[in-house]
């Protein structure tokens, strides 16, 4: 288990993206077995910087996204 997610293990939690750190690489999107993460751009028609976004209704606190993020841009927080 990752040390970064051990503080909220067993609690009702969800992934939260630290947008200042997110590069939009998509590693977390690929790692999520619940399809709770997507990449969105900050401008219309897919232009601009990509960032990961969490759907709180789909996030199941598995932590897979946290382990895959190379920039430590994801934390778990209580819902």
């Amino acid at each position: 288990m990752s040390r970064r997610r051990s503080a909220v293990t067993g609690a009702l939690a969800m992934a939260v993206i630290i947008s200042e750190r997110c590069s939009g690489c998509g590693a977390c999107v690929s790692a999520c077995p619940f399809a709770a993460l997507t990449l969105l751009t900050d401008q219309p028609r897919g232009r601009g910087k990509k960032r990961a976004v969490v759907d709180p209704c789909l996030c199941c606190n598995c932590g897979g996204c946290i382990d895959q993020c190379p920039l430590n841009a994801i934390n778990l927080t209580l819902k």
Side-chain angles (χ1 to χ4, degrees), residues 2-59:
S2 169
R3 287 179 288 150
R4 293 189 297 153
R5 61 184 162 126
S6 62
V8 292
T9 299
L12 290 177
M14 65 173 266
V16 174
I17 307 298
I18 303 168
S19 60
E20 296 82 21
R21 291 186 193 168
C22 180
S23 68
C25 71
C28 59
V29 175
S30 300
C32 182
F34 302 101
L37 291 117
T38 55
L39 287 180
L40 297 180
T41 57
D42 57 3
Q43 294 181 11
R45 299 184 186 162
R47 295 183 181 158
K49 184 171 172 76
K50 291 183 179 181
R51 298 213 189 270
V53 177
V54 180
D55 182 337
C57 295
L58 297 176
C59 182

